[in-house]
Amino acid sequence: MTLLQVQKGSKSFATKNLFQDCTFSINVGEHVGVIGPNGAGKTTLFKILVGLDSLDSGEITRATKLRIGYLEQESDWDNSKSAEEHLSVHSLKPLWELKRLGHDLGLDDSHFSKPLVKLSGGYRMRMKLLELIGQEPDLMLLDEPTNFLDLESILVLENFLQGYEGAFLLISHDREFLRRTTHATLEVEGGDITKFPGHIDDYFEQKSQIRQILAAQAANRATKRQQILDFVARFGAKATKARQAQSRLKRLDKIQNIEIKDLPVRATIRIPKPSHTGKEVLHLHNANLGYLNTPVLTNVDLRLNRGAHVGVVGYNGAGKSTLLKTLAGYLPLQSGELRLGYQVEIAYYSQHIAEQLDLNETVLEAMQTAAKKDVTAQEILNLSGSLLFSGDDVHKPIRVLSGGEKSRVALGQILLQRSPLLLLDEPTNHLDFETVEALTEALREYEGTVVVVSHDRSFIGRIANRILRINAGKIEYYPGTYDEYLWSLQKGMLSQDKNLPEPVDKKRALEFNEKIPSSTKFNFKEVSKRLQAQIKEQRRNIQKSEQTLSQLCLRRDQITQELLAASGVKAGELSKQLGQLGQDIESTENKMLDMMEELEKLEQELNQHRQS
């Protein structure tokens, strides 16, 4: 059953065309991720669907008595009221039922009785979500719900959305969050709105496949056009060939050009090389950190060495931002000592740094103002371009930029300082997929020291080589990777520090040693016979896998050809089949590689026994 359908919808602002003649539908129970570059019109689309804005042309058809709930990035609440008072007024469900749901979201009775202003961002988000649920919507619109949330809050929200039986549209730049919560993707980009079946990985695979198909088709038609033109040029003036030339010119008119729309721009951020420092970049010794007379972190001892990439984790309100503000010098120490290493200068990206930009400056002027003196004009232009400000865009005044564009300017200002120590507090908020991906790659290769707070699991997991955990007013290094920390958190293993799990590689080593006891006595004849049988069986399995892989690839090629001639619903179904075949092919290839590795081990073991 269709809840909502947009038919030939168009929307423009001044001279900018957001989307034109777009058609899509949302069905009962669908979980749809909404993606696209900053400024493409995602939030505008939400406002149109909820009735806060309207289409320039086109039609929206809604199911009878459709209720839509809208979770905005910023909403006006009366913060003087308690959550309990607010929910009683704005929800259709009884308060006791909302409280029961709230407990599943990690809320307790004290959260409901507090004034909203006293709640952290994570708990306010949960209250807003409860308000949304209390309105009993058939369709929820969630606009960047993970912004400013800590990892724990995101996991709670993620778990809720995975089990949610209603339909929702979710705007997010967090790829991992979308991967875990949605099973369709709505792309708002380049004047189009296109719905793709499958989760976010399927979307990127389908986009790549469709572009390759269209590119091959366009190249083939271009070749045919050129062949006809060459024939006409050679024989058009000859009476014996004139009729054939005219016939081929008519064929040329029928060959249509194929328009291949560009994929989202893939930025490549090149951070200017940081200035040289000594080995120790920063030392915080026996320090208390906090606001006025209220300590947040106590007895802190922290050393940062050159090249360390540190991910800071902990609950909202645990003190992550307090730590970064203190290291940056924005908060004075309550006690203790903070020493910077030789030639160390700090660049600090705060959550609200974009609000501090001079609105009267242009993009280029803002970059030039912040850049270190030895950064060249070309380096400034290069970085501006890598942040998607190219050509005349660098001369735009800051005041006309979108929130995401302002965030990119602020990020550029930080990166141009050539600082050997970057302190980044939620740098991916308001950035689109491609910019986040480019920033991730740039920071991975950055030679300086980085301390980063982020709720984006993929981002922090690929950047950080050390994890700094803040818990109960204390700071400690977590003895493992970010993935191991995340696993421990999900399993509830971090409530007691003494029970921290061993790193995964140690566990695997232990398991391996237990499977092959050193004291085992071998019967060489029986062992050789057993190994030969296993090798024979493994070769048969590999042969079967090769046959399966060949059949899957043949089917993939057939569907690819069918997709070229398909459109509408049929094209969507074929794209979904193509995505599933891609997963099956990858899975079969991985299994076959595992079997080949196992075969190699068996053959090596047999050779060792024969040599013995």
Side-chain angles (χ1 to χ4, degrees):
M1 177 182 172
T2 300
L3 289 176
L4 178 147
Q5 185 176 46
V6 176
Q7 295 173 302
K8 295 186 177 298
S10 299
K11 183 67 177 180
S12 299
F13 282 116
T15 59
K16 183 174 183 180
N17 181 35
L18 292 181
F19 43 85
Q20 187 171 9
D21 292 332
C22 296
T23 298
F24 66 90
S25 61
I26 304 299
N27 300 319
V28 171
E30 274 197 310
H31 295 179
V32 183
V34 182
I35 68 169
N38 284 333
K42 301 185 296 295
T43 297
T44 299
L45 174 63
F46 272 22
K47 290 181 177 179
I48 290 171
L49 295 181
V50 82
L52 298 176
D53 203 339
S54 60
L55 292 172
D56 295 336
S57 63
E59 184 179 358
I60 300 177
T61 304
R62 298 177 175 86
T64 305
K65 297 182 180 179
L66 175 67
R67 288 191 298 269
I68 299 179
Y70 182 27
L71 183 66
E72 302 177 71
Q73 290 189 35
E74 301 290 340
S75 57
D76 295 328
W77 280 23
D78 185 351
N79 287 331
S80 63
K81 290 185 177 180
S82 69
E84 190 173 272
E85 291 171 331
H86 184 86
L87 292 173
S88 297
V89 174
H90 293 89
S91 299
L92 299 176
K93 287 182 180 291
L95 187 59
W96 64 265
E97 188 173 346
L98 290 179
K99 284 188 174 182
R100 179 172 57 80
L101 290 171
H103 293 156
D104 294 336
L105 292 173
L107 296 166
D108 57 38
D109 291 339
S110 67
H111 294 119
F112 287 92
S113 60
K114 287 180 180 178
L116 291 168
V117 72
K118 295 288 187 180
L119 297 178
S120 67
Y123 288 123
R124 277 202 298 270
M125 180 280 300
R126 299 180 204 194
M127 288 298 180
K128 289 180 181 180
L129 186 60
L130 280 182
E131 179 187 358
L132 202 62
I133 296 169
Q135 295 168 7
E136 299 182 340
D138 305 298
L139 174 63
M140 290 197 303
L141 307 182
L142 309 173
D143 193 351
E144 294 284 10
T146 62
N147 274 358
F148 308 117
L149 298 187
D150 57 24
L151 178 60
E152 291 75 13
S153 298
I154 289 173
L155 292 175
V156 169
L157 178 58
E158 180 182 282
N159 185 61
F160 171 78
L161 292 178
Q162 285 173 343
Y164 186 65
E165 295 181 357
F168 63 76
L169 293 173
L170 167 64
I171 297 175
S172 179
H173 65 264
D174 187 332
R175 189 168 300 187
E176 185 66 19
F177 186 68
L178 286 172
R179 181 183 291 119
R180 292 172 177 268
T181 57
T182 64
H183 47 67
T185 302
L186 194 69
E187 175 197 71
V188 183
E189 176 200 328
D192 284 339
I193 300 178
T194 309
K195 189 177 178 183
F196 291 81
H199 59 53
I200 192 68
D201 291 334
D202 296 327
Y203 158 78
F204 282 108
E205 184 173 354
Q206 290 171 44
K207 285 280 286 187
S208 178
Q209 289 173 343
I210 290 172
R211 181 173 174 80
Q212 289 174 9
I213 292 167
L214 291 177
Q217 193 178 38
N220 183 46
R221 295 195 181 190
T223 300
K224 289 181 180 179
R225 289 174 65 88
Q226 191 59 49
Q227 289 173 348
I228 292 172
L229 290 171
D230 291 344
F231 181 88
V232 172
R234 290 172 59 194
F235 301 113
K238 295 184 178 181
T240 57
K241 296 288 185 178
R243 182 174 295 178
Q244 293 182 38
Q246 290 299 320
S247 176
R248 295 199 178 193
L249 280 173
K250 290 180 181 179
R251 284 174 54 197
L252 181 61
D253 292 336
K254 295 180 180 179
I255 297 178
Q256 297 177 348
N257 288 326
I258 297 176
E259 181 183 358
I260 304 175
K261 292 192 175 183
D262 290 333
L263 292 172
V265 178
R266 173 66 188 272
T268 302
I269 296 176
R270 295 180 177 87
I271 306 175
K273 190 173 181 179
S275 56
H276 182 71
T277 68
K279 181 180 179 181
E280 186 173 272
V281 173
L282 178 146
H283 183 195
L284 190 59
H285 176 63
N286 196 26
N288 286 352
L289 287 61
Y291 299 85
L292 299 177
N293 297 321
T294 305
V296 176
L297 303 171
T298 58
N299 300 322
V300 176
D301 279 284
L302 175 65
R303 292 177 184 268
L304 294 177
N305 290 334
R306 184 179 62 241
H309 289 183
V310 181
V312 183
V313 299
Y315 289 93
N316 254 3
K320 302 187 295 295
S321 294
T322 300
L323 173 64
L324 264 63
K325 287 176 182 177
T326 304
L327 297 181
Y330 281 73
L331 278 179
L333 285 175
Q334 292 184 334
S335 63
E337 182 182 11
L338 173 62
R339 293 200 303 268
L340 295 180
Y342 172 70
Q343 288 191 336
V344 172
E345 294 179 351
I346 293 174
Y348 172 49
Y349 183 98
S350 69
Q351 291 187 27
H352 305 289
I353 191 171
E355 299 172 6
Q356 302 169 17
L357 294 171
D358 185 340
L359 300 180
N360 294 318
E361 286 187 327
T362 65
V363 171
L364 185 58
E365 289 169 344
M367 297 285 194
Q368 291 170 334
T369 301
K372 198 167 183 177
K373 291 182 179 180
D374 57 356
V375 175
T376 66
Q378 190 58 51
E379 284 179 314
I380 294 173
L381 287 173
N382 289 344
L383 187 63
S384 299
S386 70
L387 292 170
L388 310 184
F389 295 109
S390 57
D392 292 338
D393 289 342
V394 296
H395 301 299
K396 285 183 177 180
I398 301 296
R399 63 176 174 274
V400 305
L401 301 182
S402 68
E405 289 170 329
K406 289 176 182 176
S407 294
R408 295 206 302 268
V409 173
L411 180 62
Q413 288 182 318
I414 297 300
L415 300 181
L416 286 168
Q417 294 176 28
R418 289 192 62 207
S419 169
L421 176 55
L422 298 179
L423 306 178
L424 308 176
D425 194 354
E426 298 289 2
T428 65
N429 280 349
H430 307 301
L431 299 182
D432 55 34
F433 272 135
E434 303 307 319
T435 308
V436 171
E437 190 70 17
L439 180 61
T440 302
E441 295 301 322
L443 290 176
R444 284 180 67 180
E445 302 299 323
Y446 189 60
E447 297 177 7
T449 305
V450 180
V451 181
V452 59
V453 173
S454 178
H455 65 269
D456 189 323
R457 281 164 288 184
S458 177
F459 176 74
I460 198 170
R462 286 183 288 167
I463 291 173
N465 52 32
R466 298 203 70 182
I467 300 300
L468 191 67
R469 183 187 177 216
I470 299 179
N471 183 45
K474 304 296 181 183
I475 291 180
E476 61 189 4
Y477 277 111
Y478 175 79
T481 66
Y482 181 72
D483 287 339
E484 291 163 3
Y485 165 78
L486 183 60
W487 179 83
S488 301
L489 187 67
Q490 291 173 317
K491 297 297 181 181
M493 301 179 68
L494 293 181
S495 56
Q496 295 182 5
D497 296 343
K498 62 183 180 181
N499 290 330
L500 287 174
E502 292 184 73
V504 170
D505 55 342
K506 290 185 179 179
K507 285 187 173 183
R508 289 177 179 168
L510 179 60
E511 290 171 0
F512 181 78
N513 291 334
E514 288 176 347
K515 289 178 181 177
I516 309 177
S518 58
S519 59
T520 302
K521 295 183 179 180
F522 294 102
N523 181 316
F524 289 100
K525 186 175 181 179
E526 290 182 1
V527 168
S528 294
K529 186 177 179 180
R530 173 179 57 81
L531 287 172
Q532 287 173 346
Q534 289 178 337
I535 289 171
K536 187 176 181 180
E537 178 66 20
Q538 198 73 324
R539 285 174 177 167
R540 280 199 298 267
N541 292 336
I542 292 173
Q543 187 176 14
K544 290 179 182 177
S545 293
E546 288 175 340
Q547 293 172 351
T548 300
L549 186 61
S550 178
Q551 293 170 355
L552 289 171
C553 290
L554 180 62
R555 179 61 182 149
R556 178 194 61 190
D557 294 342
Q558 291 172 344
I559 292 180
T560 299
Q561 290 301 315
E562 293 176 21
L563 184 59
L564 288 174
S567 61
V569 175
K570 180 64 175 176
E573 292 175 354
L574 289 173
S575 295
K576 188 173 183 179
Q577 292 179 35
L578 206 57
Q580 183 60 51
L581 276 170
Q583 294 179 20
D584 293 342
I585 289 171
E586 183 180 2
S587 175
T588 303
E589 288 175 339
N590 290 337
K591 289 179 182 177
M592 193 165 67
L593 288 172
D594 291 341
M595 286 189 286
M596 292 171 72
E597 289 179 0
E598 182 64 26
L599 175 62
E600 185 179 1
K601 291 178 182 178
L602 290 170
E603 289 173 339
Q604 289 175 352
E605 190 175 349
L606 179 60
N607 288 334
Q608 290 173 357
H609 282 299
R610 285 173 174 171
Q611 292 171 4
S612 301

